[in-house]
Amino acid sequence: MDQNSTAECDGVAKLLGVAFAGLHLPLVSVGVTHFIGGYSDPAPLVLSALVGTVFASVLTLGMIWRSVAPRLQGLMA
């Protein structure tokens, strides 16, 4: 396996990890709110899911940009 394909596999693995974390972060925030916070009403759980979704989208887009930006700069140069 050459160096270029190894770097590409690492990039794909990193993006899959970020996507996995981004998908599960809202669920984790709802679980923390319910089990640790003791809330069972729908309003706090929905608010927690929304906050987790916003945080996950910021995290996911930021990590994707960090992975893709060097490749785009290499293509433009």
Side-chain angles (χ1 to χ4, degrees):
M1 203 188 253
D2 62 349
Q3 187 70 17
N4 195 13
S5 63
T6 303
E8 189 170 326
C9 287
D10 289 343
V12 170
K14 189 183 297 184
L15 288 176
L16 285 175
V18 167
F20 182 81
L23 287 173
H24 288 84
L25 196 61
L27 296 174
V28 169
S29 67
V30 169
V32 166
T33 302
H34 178 66
F35 292 113
I36 294 177
Y39 293 103
S40 59
D41 294 334
L45 297 178
V46 169
L47 181 62
S48 175
L50 289 174
V51 169
T53 302
V54 168
F55 183 69
S57 65
V58 168
L59 177 78
T60 303
L61 291 175
M63 290 300 291
I64 288 173
W65 178 251
R66 286 183 62 195
S67 297
V68 173
R71 293 181 189 196
L72 292 177
Q73 289 176 350
L75 290 173
M76 293 180 151

